[in-house]
Amino acid sequence: MAERGSYVQVQHGGQYGAGQQQHGHGQMGEQMKGMLQEKAPSASQALTVATLFPLGGLLLVLSGLALAGTVVGLAVATPVFLLFSPVLVPAALTIGMAVTGFLASGALGLGGLSSLTVLANTARQAFQRTPDYVEEARQRMADAAAAAGHKTQQAGHAIQSRAEETRAGHTAGAGAGAGTRASS
């Protein structure tokens, strides 16, 4: 029995001794009563339940009446639907297709509008960054123009020097040819 008492003592964390088991259960009962009393609904909660319970019942009765009215209306209208079905079915299909068309056009319109909005936002962001791009493009064009001007100047000098060489060669050749003619 001493082993059992020590087991209870170890199990409950040393809170109860072997002789205090009965007394401990009494304290637990009082603690449970205290917890239950602490969890009692407040006055506002009780008022809420007292207000919503009859309202829920009323709504349940109204939904039952609506269901009964629907069943009675369907029972009365079924023969009328059967008699006029050659007219009602095409009319229902036409109305359904018209509604589908309106919904589809609205959805496509919203899609187009959202696409234009995205495009406008992208363009606005691009124009906000444009001064940097424009300045960079101007700098590149100026560099390219300077490089092209330099190459054109080099090519002009090369052509001019070849032309001078050709003239000098023709002049020297013409002078030598004239001397040979005179001697003949």
Side-chain angles (χ1 to χ4, degrees), residues 157-168:
H157 285 304
I159 292 171
Q160 188 177 10
S161 65
R162 282 188 187 167
E164 287 177 4
E165 286 176 9
T166 305
R167 259 191 251 144

Side-chain angles (χ1 to χ4, degrees), residues 8 13 72 83 88 111 134 154 176:
V8 170
V72 168
L83 289 174
L88 292 178
V134 169
Q154 285 178 350

Side-chain angles (χ1 to χ4, degrees), residues 1-12 14 16-18 21:
M1 186 76 170
E3 289 178 9
R4 185 169 180 206
S6 63
Y7 175 72
V8 170
Q9 188 175 10
V10 169
Q11 186 178 10
H12 293 292
Y16 308 114
Q21 288 180 4

Side-chain angles (χ1 to χ4, degrees), residues 129-161:
R129 288 185 263 159
T130 298
D132 296 336
Y133 291 136
V134 169
E135 187 60 36
E136 185 178 328
R138 283 182 186 164
Q139 185 64 35
R140 284 184 183 174
M141 288 180 68
D143 292 344
H150 183 67
K151 287 205 179 225
T152 304
Q153 189 178 17
Q154 285 178 350
H157 285 304
I159 292 171
Q160 188 177 10
S161 65

Side-chain angles (χ1 to χ4, degrees), residues 58-83:
L58 176 67
L59 291 175
L60 185 63
V61 168
L62 288 177
S63 66
L65 289 174
L67 178 64
T70 303
V71 169
V72 168
L74 188 60
V76 169
T78 299
V80 175
F81 283 144
L82 288 175
L83 289 174

